Amino acid sequence: MSIAVGTNSQVFLLSTGNTSYAFGIDDRGLVRHLYWGKKLPSADELEMPVLTEVSTNDPVFEITPEEFPVHGGLRYKEHCLKVTFPDGTRELVYRYDGYDTEQGDGWEELVLHLKDEHYAFRMDLHYKLYPAYDLMERTVVLKNEMEEPLQIEQLHSAQFHIPYENLNFSNVHGHWGAEEQPFTQRVSYGKILIENRRGTSSHNHNPYFILDRDATETSGEVFFGALRLTGNFSGVVEQTPYGETLVQMGINPHDCLLALEPGQTLTAPAILCGYSATGFETMSHNLHRFALDHIMSAGLRPVLYNSWEATEFHVNCRDQIKLAQKASELGAELFVLDDGWFGERHSIQNGLGDWYVNEGKFPNGLEELIDAVKEQGMKFGLWVEPEMVNPKAKLYQDHPDWIYHYDTRVTDTSRVQYVLNVTKPEVQEFIYNMLDNLLTRYDIDYIKWDANRPISQTGPQRDIWYNHIQFIYHVVTELKKKHPDVLFEACASGGGRIDYGILGIFDDFWTSDNTDAYDRLYIQNSYSRIYPIKAMRAWVTDCPNFLSGRVIPLTFRFHSAMMGSLGIGCNILKFTPEEVALAQKMIAQYKEIRPIIQEGAFYRLDNPSADQYFLYEYLKGDKGVLFAFLPQSKVGHRGTTVRLRGLEEDARYTVHTSQGDIVKSGSYLMDHGLPLHLSGDYASVLVQFEKNQ
């Protein structure tokens, strides 16, 4: 059993294969954190320390390391929950009310019951263990058993206690075209806040935390957690005066007020969390394996061709068929028709909301293109932006009250579009029926769902920030039940929806509108720390790149995109015969190594060279792939030494290099390593290897 209860006190020890997490109920009935780290042998060894206040300004409630601190009393620290009861009381006083355990296939769960000592209000703390992955999922379920509604002013899903000071906190920052830019800062006194207030989740920060004690890829302690929420989140990291570091994450309280009606329950977004004693690599591997096994849909992701950069809004059936024929010739398996196929969509000025096929562009209907795509042996995909409407669109003219707005204000436009109020039942019905009709009428295999502007002017209701994304989850889930073979890609003006809340509901992430192959190395590296490679869409696009202006060789561009789920976005009708041949070769090679890339273990390898090599390894079973990139030769055209990881020390491996095969032991390849020398600018190489039988 992974859940143990101490014999002498109410102490709970939750253990996975290599880690333990412990808390208990103290003499005041408070749920107090005790331990998080390497695996402990017994709950009976854990003791509940006696706490005394330092002074009247440092009361016991402030010092107590509570698992789920609430607002009220002599608490001045960050709290996970703040409510207003029907009579206006804004203080919670909880008491322990027992526990339950459940067990399933590969998981165990402890549910700790808490209740307010006066009001009929319950809080159930959930701790779900996945022992094989060294992961735990934490959430809280709130239940209103009163006869009147109460209001929730703040809801963070959990608090984590780390018994160290001066930790390193890592996350990402960024904006459109520059998502997933990594940063690390030392935690000191004061609070670190990461959040989103725009309605999506991840252009600016991403809903996770990583705290480490000067860890490396393969050594050192790492504490981490990823919030399963898309949209407005917040996370707080604080080093306290009492010798520990606290972390909370959950729904952003900014402009948010949730009503909990009588008899209703509310489940907070879960946090998938864990501890590694062996660096960042273990963290990534545990999250990646769990995502592949328990969150993501099965099956390898197809090589796609997307028409956007080739045609933009200048879409017509004839040219799309030409692109499809050429894409098939190159080896693409999925053709995605992007923006511009519907309504009066000739630019960003019009069309959104009018989801009928433009007859001028497709005089014989969409079926003509789909049939041509299918004749080429490819699947067909379609771009949509269901949450938005243009002011000129017929939908808005017919239903001006369907958007977020204030009656007394001029409504904001961004990218010449409004945001539909998807909390309205009639809007929900429209979006579901529109998408269901498309998927029912046409032979569609893939939906690219975009959202190109932030939410604003939400009206008098303060629950829409949370309820908006809950509808997105719901509508896609329901559509997949009816159309189970359709894959959905999450796109939000680039990488605005990358999180564990939407992963599994959607199948792919569009990582960034920045498709520059060099920039993508940084974006993909940061992405890989938390999120699975299989969901990371990466494209080969034309040069000069529309955003960076760089001209990068096609081989480098392919290698960069082959590190994820490969896509092509070039105007392939302009390819030279040499470029066609190279693309065919690269796509064929990708299909060969695709199971290793999408389902294997991913390693961010060390680079000992003074030149800036980017080195990455993928390993699945007996087969592996190495990618090496040198964007620019700098210091004396130096080479590097590639030390692989994850191999069997005593096994023999054959490494296929451009100079011929090399046979070495796993120990040699990991400890001594392989010399590698690239030269020039934007040089790259892909090397395959396998264990000898």
Side-chain angles (χ1 to χ4, degrees), residues 380-429:
F380 179 78
L382 196 63
W383 181 96
V384 293
E385 193 172 3
E387 299 157 74
M388 308 295 170
V389 63
N390 289 121
K392 292 182 179 180
K394 186 176 185 302
L395 179 71
Y396 177 70
Q397 301 301 317
D398 292 343
H399 303 285
D401 59 326
W402 278 16
I403 63 170
Y404 293 123
H405 70 286
Y406 293 107
D407 291 338
T408 59
R409 302 297 182 201
V410 176
T411 304
D412 292 335
T413 55
S414 179
R415 204 174 182 260
V416 200
Q417 58 197 61
Y418 300 133
V419 185
L420 290 171
N421 184 348
V422 304
T423 66
K424 287 177 171 281
E426 58 270 33
V427 177
Q428 295 177 2
E429 183 179 14

Side-chain angles (χ1 to χ4, degrees), residues 4 64 111 114 151 160 194 236 304 348 375 425 473 508 514 544 608:
T64 302
V111 182
L114 309 176
Q151 292 182 320
F160 298 90
I194 58 169
V236 181
L304 68 78
I348 62 173
E375 287 172 5
Y473 293 164
D508 284 350
N514 185 349

